[in-house]
């Protein structure tokens, strides 16, 4: 049974590990990764107009307007199944727009404490060339301030500064957390404070257990 025939959403506060976990599942199962944060940062690196418009919101920890996000996501979707959405949808309007495009099988909700979130985000470093992520304590680069893959310089994201993190967390509470209720029938809850591999195993187990149900809803 091919789990990449379903659509999954990863939901959770900033720093919950959505990017880290979705990238593992993609390596293991071959899903198509749609991370709105990664796509936006790529557009900023290439000086694209949409990216530069979005950067103003991102640097302040605010959400990019729904219209821009939906325009961007639609250009990336060619199939009906096999996607992992990471950081999308983030508002009820985005969720109802997604419902009109593809069916959603499971929504994995990663939750963890405020203290762990702060530690993860303030210690994150990103390669300025290829976008690979590290953490100064939990996943350091063996090349210290350079990327192991492409030797690019590692930098701290503008929105990982403490006062912007607080803003992102409050935006999450107000605008994104209501999605837990919206998706309550599809929700898989995972405590995300453990190590990367144990959370990955729990994801596989919980999503795998529901594979039969997911396949019966999926598109042909
Ligand atoms: P986005 O990039 O999506 O940011 P986010 O949701 O705030 O998520 P993060 O990337 O900060 O955290 P994550 O949960 O992916 O954790 P990660 O795995 O990286 O969005 C950025 C901005 O873009 C938004 O603020 C908004 O402005 C805009 N935007 C994006 N999508 C939008 C949308 N749909 N609508 C409107 N605006 C949108 O891990 C974090 C760190 O912890 C890393 O250093 C990692 O190495 C480390 N780590 C991860 N897991 C573990 C673990 N188990 N143990 C130890 N360390 C770990």
């Amino acid at each position: 049974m091919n789990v990449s025939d379903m659509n999954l959403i990863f939901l959770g506060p900033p720093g919950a590990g959505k990017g880290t976990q979705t990238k593992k599942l993609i390596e293991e199962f071959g899903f198509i990764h749609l991370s709105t944060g990664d796509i936006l940062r790529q557009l900023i690196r290439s000086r694209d107009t949409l990216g530069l418009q979005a950067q103003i919101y991102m640097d302040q920890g605010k959400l990019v307007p729904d219209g821009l996000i939906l325009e961007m996501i639609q250009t990336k979707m060619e199939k009906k199944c096999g996607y992992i959405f990471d950081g999308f949808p983030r508002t009820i309007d985005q969720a109802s727009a997604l419902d009109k495009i593809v069916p959603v099988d499971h929504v994995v909700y990663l939750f963890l404490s405020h203290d762990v979130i702060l530690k993860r985000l303030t210690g994150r470093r990103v390669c300025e060339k290829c976008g690979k992520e590290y953490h100064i304590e939990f996943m350091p680069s063996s090349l210290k301030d350079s990327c192991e893959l492409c030797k690019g310089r590692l930098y701290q994201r503008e929105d990982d500064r403490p006062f912007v993190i607080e803003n992102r967390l409050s935006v999450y509470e107000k605008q994104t957390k209501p999605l837990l209720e919206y998706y309550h029938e599809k929700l898989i809850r995972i405590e995300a404070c453990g190590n990367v591999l144990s959370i990955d195993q729990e994801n596989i187990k919980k999503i795998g257990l529901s594979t039969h149900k997911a396949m019966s809803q999926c598109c042909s």
Side-chain angles (χ1 to χ4, degrees), residues 12-21 35-38 40-41 57-58 61-66 69 86-90 94 120-121 123-125 133-135 138-139 157 159-160 168 192-196 199:
K18 301 181 293 296
T20 304
Q21 291 301 325
S35 159
T36 39
D38 285 354
L40 288 166
R41 280 183 290 279
Y57 299 93
M58 292 167 77
K62 293 180 182 166
L63 292 187
V64 175
D66 289 340
I69 294 291
D86 162 8
F88 173 85
R90 255 172 152 102
Q94 289 181 17
R120 285 197 186 166
L121 292 179
R124 170 167 47 197
R125 297 294 179 270
E133 292 198 357
Y134 297 87
H135 190 282
F138 308 129
M139 282 171 237
R157 269 169 50 172
D159 61 349
D160 279 345
R168 287 163 67 197
C193 61
N195 68 50
V196 172
I199 301 166

Side-chain angles (χ1 to χ4, degrees), residues 6-209:
M6 64 172 85
N7 291 315
L8 305 176
I9 291 174
F10 270 65
L11 187 65
K18 301 181 293 296
T20 304
Q21 291 301 325
T22 52
K23 280 166 194 149
K24 279 209 73 55
L25 289 181
I26 284 149
E27 276 168 30
E28 288 155 348
F29 296 99
F31 286 99
I32 303 165
H33 190 207
L34 274 185
S35 159
T36 39
D38 285 354
I39 299 168
L40 288 166
R41 280 183 290 279
Q42 180 56 48
L43 291 174
I44 294 169
R45 280 197 289 276
S46 60
R47 313 290 299 162
D48 176 275
T49 315
L50 193 150
L52 296 176
Q53 275 175 279
Q55 187 174 20
I56 299 164
Y57 299 93
M58 292 167 77
D59 286 351
Q60 297 174 60
K62 293 180 182 166
L63 292 187
V64 175
D66 289 340
L68 289 184
I69 294 291
L70 292 169
E71 184 189 323
M72 185 180 86
I73 204 98
Q74 272 168 330
T75 64
K76 301 278 175 194
M77 294 187 62
E78 291 167 357
K79 294 173 34 175
K80 282 273 177 194
C81 277
Y83 291 103
I84 294 191
F85 298 99
D86 162 8
F88 173 85
R90 255 172 152 102
T91 63
I92 299 283
D93 283 350
Q94 289 181 17
S96 59
L98 182 64
D99 281 342
K100 295 187 185 105
I101 308 173
V102 292
V104 171
D105 297 293
H106 300 294
V107 178
V108 178
Y109 168 46
L110 300 178
F111 63 95
L112 74 178
S113 72
H114 190 264
D115 290 353
V116 183
I117 289 176
L118 285 183
K119 206 165 179 192
R120 285 197 186 166
L121 292 179
T122 51
R124 170 167 47 197
R125 297 294 179 270
V126 186
C127 172
E128 68 181 0
K129 269 205 217 160
C130 71
K132 182 170 165 55
E133 292 198 357
Y134 297 87
H135 190 282
I136 52 172
E137 187 178 336
F138 308 129
M139 282 171 237
S141 165
S142 56
L143 300 179
K144 222 175 156 217
D145 299 328
S146 306
C147 177
E148 291 171 355
L149 296 182
C150 71
K151 310 263 190 318
R153 187 184 69 91
L154 302 187
Y155 74 100
Q156 182 171 36
R157 269 169 50 172
E158 197 64 24
D159 61 349
D160 279 345
R161 290 172 299 148
F163 72 95
V164 188
I165 292 174
E166 290 303 337
N167 203 16
R168 287 163 67 197
L169 289 170
S170 108
V171 165
Y172 169 78
E173 288 292 324
K174 284 189 204 122
Q175 293 181 262
T176 305
K177 223 169 169 187
L179 289 176
L180 298 180
E181 178 54 31
Y182 184 90
Y183 286 124
H184 72 278
E185 286 177 354
K186 300 182 176 184
L187 216 57
I188 295 173
R189 301 167 67 90
I190 308 261
E191 186 161 9
C193 61
N195 68 50
V196 172
L197 289 181
S198 68
I199 301 166
D200 176 51
Q201 287 309 306
E202 203 177 342
N203 280 326
I204 291 171
K205 194 167 139 210
K206 290 198 173 171
I207 297 163
L209 282 174

